[in-house]
Amino acid sequence: MLMRTPADNIIDLSNTLVSLRLTLRDGQISYQLTSTNAGLDISDGRLGELSVAGVPISWTSIHPQTVTRHHDGSSVAEVVVSAPGMVYNQYVQSYPDRPFVRFWGVLYNTSNAPITLTACAIAHLVIPQAPLYLFHVDQFSWPHRSDFFSQHQSQIWPGRTPLEIRMGSYPSHYDAATSCAWFALKPPPFDYDPEMPPSQGPGLVAGIEFNGKSRVFGWATPDATHVQSRIDSLNHVLKPDARFEVPAIFIGRYHGDWDESAFVTHRFAESYVHPPRPDDRYPWVQYNSWKYGQEINEAQQLEVIDRCHELGIEVVVMDLGWANMIGDWHPNKTKFPRGLKSLAERARSYGMRFGVHIAIAQCAPEAPIAKQHPEWLVSTYDDYFAAGFFCFGNDPCRNWIIEQVSRLIEQEGIDYIIQDGEDMVKYCTRADHTHAPGDSNYANSQYGIDVVIGTLREKYPHVVFENCEDGGMMMTYKMARLYHTSITVDNIATYATRQGTYGASYPFSPRYSVRYMEDDPTPYTLRSSIFGGPLILMQRITDWDNQQFTYAKAAIDEYKSYRTLIRDAKVIHVLPPRYNVQRKGWGWDAIQAVTPDQSESVLMVFRAMGDVDARAIKPRGLDATATYVVRIKDAGSKHIISGAQLMDVGLTLALPELSGEIVHMLRQK
């Protein structure tokens, strides 16, 4: 990335893919983003929008500093702006092979008195075009709606009410809409009919790297569309010589439909955001002890591990019930007299990983630490299985949990951790914590859960971390930077599982769609869990009969045969599962994966309850000029069909209720 000396308060930054101009004008940092790649331009965006005691900061000078090149090929430019008593370092990261930029900043208090930050915009986009549609995807919520991870094309129209979308960590009982911390923009038209080819156009995508609660606002004038991301409930006291970190956001360009906006995001994030995959097989087939309840014990689970080996499972996890209690993270000696090491060693003898579930920010009122430090508990309210909750924005509490998890990893041989709980960014107004009253949203995120997971990841790079907050209630790009994978739906029923995968695979790479399969194993329930990230079986697998075992073994083999194709492919959202009726769903749905070179594709088609017995399904994203060998697995049929015919006419499939089919397409050489 080049940096030119400012002239008239202008700094130019560019590489071969993007050009960025920063301008200090009227006390604000304005930016223009353009590119040789197709997409929407940003004409007059804003950075460094911060307020002290309710008054926006007016910057007075701007200076370029350094450009640092990273080992991944990206470059980070540092620009410094200042105001009386304050210095703000703005960072801009660009990439050698993607039309993306990433912004974040650090504010320093250079005065002799504390200041209170009351507002912070993570970023502000201004696109010289209106109207636009903003595409976003719901997070999970128990009470809000039963159609999980629903997708929305939201209008940003001149003269209409501004759009407002909540994002970040929320509790599962929150009964209003919240969204994954990602959005895409594109001009009209609206895609009304999933049976019709989706509209194409220039667009932008953005991923917000903040686990706390934030909001995106969208509004338009006749000649421009504004989209701004702001931190909620900010009341941060910044002492002299202290620093305040403005969370990061990445912005990228694309041309195409909403599937293309997802694909460019996935490829960028896999290269520059997500933790490296733990191995080449990832995602894995896993077992979780949930269906055995909290009455798990050593003998029982050793038998389970043996059974897991026979099935070809790759990770074994002890869920709730292995510890003395929530907040006392020592193995229960009655259930596990030798601790968890015997289980970990048995799993590793089969080449499997071994992990535990930890409700990391929860604490039972009777736990020893709650009696030693009652002030650490924000509340003893029955927030999660009769446990109250800690405040991770309180430094000693946060440091204690890091010590406890570190001890557990080292003493028990843990190499997989499910972090669970009710809202990782707790609401706390206590005046005796290290954060300011009213600042828990920022403190519990930026200096709380982020520091806990970030520190543990750095200390134990071999340990894989899964975000399991409430079925997918912290679906942010800070989560996706810290964790290897994430739950998507806590409902677990088969149709809801497909809804979670379908919706979450817009904002996030397929590996961030963990499926916890609790329904009894049948060809339909198992196949519904194949597409996406880790496949986790939660059943009492030692109670299965021979037929159930055979079904599961066949499905696991099927999953392994497609997982890397799906992991690395472009996801095509063919037909959405929209109707979660009585947990069984209604009608047909379909999802597809296509390799980037269009040589291979897998299409998974399902019929829930009702609707017609047969229908045409049209795959997309294929090479129209090529010929494909098409195999319809359960039907046992093989066809030679052109890519154009597959996409224009489709395949007519007949399915009974509660069944699914796999269509594999391979380009002829």
Side-chain angles (χ1 to χ4, degrees):
M1 176 176 279
L2 301 176
M3 181 183 292
R4 296 177 186 168
T5 303
D8 299 323
N9 287 332
I10 295 173
I11 296 174
D12 288 319
L13 310 169
S14 64
N15 65 11
T16 57
L17 295 178
V18 293
S19 295
L20 183 72
R21 168 165 285 189
L22 301 181
T23 305
L24 185 62
R25 185 172 62 246
D26 299 326
Q28 298 296 309
I29 310 168
S30 173
Y31 71 96
Q32 295 174 291
L33 178 65
T34 59
S35 174
T36 55
N37 286 65
L40 293 171
D41 292 336
I42 295 176
S43 62
D44 192 22
R46 297 284 189 271
L47 297 169
E49 289 186 318
L50 296 141
S51 294
V52 174
V55 179
I57 298 173
S58 181
W59 304 108
T60 57
S61 65
I62 185 168
H63 299 283
Q65 294 297 305
T66 60
V67 175
T68 304
R69 286 176 169 76
H70 290 195
H71 68 278
D72 61 7
S74 68
S75 297
V76 176
E78 179 184 3
V79 175
V80 175
V81 296
S82 61
M86 288 172 281
V87 172
Y88 179 67
N89 289 23
Q90 178 67 60
Y91 297 93
V92 181
Q93 190 167 14
S94 67
Y95 305 88
D97 56 348
R98 311 283 175 185
F100 278 73
V101 292
R102 180 171 177 256
F103 300 114
W104 71 97
V106 180
L107 176 70
Y108 296 90
N109 181 1
T110 58
S111 72
N112 295 321
I115 59 175
T116 301
L117 295 163
T118 53
C120 173
I122 297 172
H124 185 164
L125 291 66
V126 182
I127 298 95
Q129 185 173 340
L132 292 176
Y133 279 106
L134 186 148
F135 183 85
H136 65 107
V137 178
D138 285 348
Q139 298 188 118
F140 178 80
S141 170
W142 281 111
H144 173 59
R145 62 187 304 156
S146 60
D147 291 310
F148 303 110
F149 285 82
S150 292
Q151 306 93 57
H152 305 277
Q153 300 173 71
S154 299
Q155 298 176 340
I156 309 179
W157 250 245
R160 296 192 180 179
T161 301
L163 179 69
E164 180 178 339
I165 306 170
R166 297 178 182 90
M167 296 178 173
S169 174
Y170 279 85
S172 66
H173 61 258
Y174 189 75
D175 61 0
T178 66
S179 174
C180 299
W182 170 93
F183 61 85
L185 294 164
K186 188 168 64 66
F190 187 95
D191 292 328
Y192 287 97
D193 186 355
E195 305 285 346
M196 300 296 293
S199 63
Q200 310 283 314
L204 286 174
V205 295
I208 298 162
E209 299 184 32
F210 181 59
N211 279 331
K213 295 160 185 64
S214 65
R215 300 190 196 208
V216 161
F217 297 86
W219 68 97
T221 63
D223 57 358
T225 300
H226 293 250
V227 181
Q228 185 189 56
S229 170
R230 304 180 203 165
I231 296 175
D232 272 7
S233 305
L234 185 65
N235 186 44
H236 189 83
V237 176
L238 192 64
K239 297 177 181 179
D241 298 324
R243 52 184 278 160
F244 173 85
E245 299 171 7
V246 176
I249 184 171
F250 62 77
I251 300 169
R253 298 166 64 93
Y254 75 97
H255 188 282
D257 55 16
W258 301 126
D259 283 339
E260 183 65 17
S261 74
F263 180 61
V264 299
T265 305
H266 298 172
R267 298 282 63 79
F268 169 76
E270 285 290 354
S271 296
Y272 298 107
V273 179
H274 302 326
R277 292 193 298 266
D279 64 24
D280 291 338
R281 301 170 303 160
Y282 192 79
W284 298 313
V285 186
Q286 302 180 195
Y287 156 80
N288 182 285
S289 67
W290 177 259
K291 264 296 187 76
Y292 287 91
Q294 296 195 45
E295 288 67 52
I296 53 177
N297 60 65
E298 180 179 309
Q300 173 202 72
Q301 291 302 305
L302 285 172
E303 182 184 358
V304 168
I305 292 172
D306 293 341
R307 196 71 162 157
C308 287
H309 171 60
E310 295 173 34
L311 284 164
I313 286 172
E314 295 156 314
V315 181
V316 170
V317 175
M318 297 297 105
D319 209 291
L320 202 63
W322 63 267
N324 285 329
M325 64 184 68
I326 296 174
D328 181 1
W329 303 116
H330 294 82
N332 184 290
K333 290 297 185 183
T334 301
K335 300 175 184 179
F336 301 99
R338 295 185 291 171
L340 300 179
K341 269 194 171 180
S342 61
L343 301 177
E345 290 169 358
R346 179 72 62 89
R348 274 191 277 278
S349 73
Y350 291 130
M352 294 186 283
R353 284 178 175 257
F354 179 80
V356 292
H357 164 285
I358 305 178
I360 198 167
Q362 311 298 143
C363 185
E366 62 272 20
I369 193 64
K371 295 178 180 179
Q372 294 169 24
H373 291 284
E375 74 279 6
W376 288 4
L377 267 67
V378 179
S379 172
T380 56
Y381 165 70
D382 180 3
D383 199 41
Y384 182 89
F385 290 90
F389 47 92
F390 286 133
C391 174
F392 278 177
N394 187 30
D395 292 353
C397 177
R398 180 197 65 215
N399 296 338
W400 178 83
I401 196 64
I402 291 172
E403 292 171 0
Q404 294 304 301
V405 179
S406 298
R407 173 194 52 75
L408 180 67
I409 290 170
E410 294 173 9
Q411 290 183 2
E412 306 298 333
I414 306 301
D415 50 22
Y416 192 100
I417 287 180
I418 298 175
Q419 165 259 294
D420 200 352
E422 179 75 9
D423 190 358
M424 293 299 99
V425 181
K426 309 295 188 182
Y427 178 69
C428 176
T429 58
R430 293 186 67 123
D432 58 349
H433 284 186
T434 56
H435 63 81
D439 195 45
S440 61
N441 178 50
Y442 181 82
N444 265 303
S445 173
Q446 201 79 0
Y447 304 128
I449 187 64
D450 297 0
V451 173
V452 171
I453 302 301
T455 301
L456 292 169
R457 282 269 325 276
E458 187 174 355
K459 285 180 69 175
Y460 306 105
H462 68 286
V463 177
V464 174
F465 285 84
E466 175 192 333
N467 169 48
C468 196
E469 184 194 323
D470 281 331
M473 291 294 289
M474 191 173 69
M475 301 298 286
T476 77
Y477 259 95
K478 185 64 175 183
M479 177 280 295
R481 184 172 287 278
L482 290 170
Y483 297 81
H484 296 83
T485 189
S486 176
I487 191 173
T488 47
V489 173
D490 206 15
N491 193 300
I492 305 156
T494 296
Y495 193 77
T497 292
R498 297 206 302 273
Q499 287 187 317
T501 298
Y502 194 96
S505 56
Y506 279 104
F508 297 103
S509 174
R511 68 148 124 163
Y512 284 85
S513 57
V514 164
R515 276 93 62 244
Y516 277 94
M517 184 188 162
E518 187 178 50
D519 286 347
D520 290 337
T522 69
Y524 173 66
T525 61
L526 288 157
R527 183 164 288 170
S528 293
S529 297
I530 285 176
F531 197 103
L535 165 58
I536 302 181
L537 303 176
M538 301 181 74
Q539 297 90 346
R540 297 176 64 95
I541 64 176
T542 51
D543 295 347
W544 284 350
D545 59 30
N546 289 337
Q547 185 178 57
Q548 290 173 316
F549 185 89
T550 300
Y551 284 154
K553 182 69 170 67
I556 288 170
D557 292 343
E558 198 168 64
Y559 169 81
K560 290 179 178 179
S561 70
Y562 291 116
R563 61 180 167 184
T564 56
L565 188 160
I566 294 168
R567 179 192 73 193
D568 300 330
K570 179 178 182 178
V571 178
I572 306 292
H573 299 85
V574 179
L575 198 60
R578 288 178 169 171
Y579 312 107
N580 192 8
V581 181
Q582 297 179 346
R583 293 171 59 95
K584 291 186 177 180
W586 186 91
W588 293 66
D589 58 275
I591 192 167
Q592 178 189 359
V594 183
T595 57
D597 66 359
Q598 301 176 306
S599 64
E600 187 177 8
S601 178
V602 59
L603 171 68
M604 297 192 178
V605 183
F606 302 93
R607 181 186 172 200
M609 301 294 292
D611 210 345
V612 296
D613 294 336
R615 66 174 298 166
I617 303 292
K618 297 178 182 179
R620 299 199 306 270
L622 303 173
D623 181 352
T625 65
T627 300
Y628 289 85
V629 178
V630 180
R631 299 180 186 273
I632 305 176
K633 184 165 185 179
D634 290 351
S637 59
K638 175 183 173 182
H639 312 272
I640 308 297
I641 309 175
S642 72
Q645 184 178 354
L646 282 166
M647 292 187 288
D648 294 342
V649 179
L651 297 163
T652 298
L653 301 176
L655 289 177
E657 291 182 321
L658 303 180
S659 66
E661 180 64 278
I662 294 182
V663 179
H664 182 256
M665 293 160 275
L666 186 64
R667 184 167 56 196
Q668 279 191 324
K669 296 181 179 179

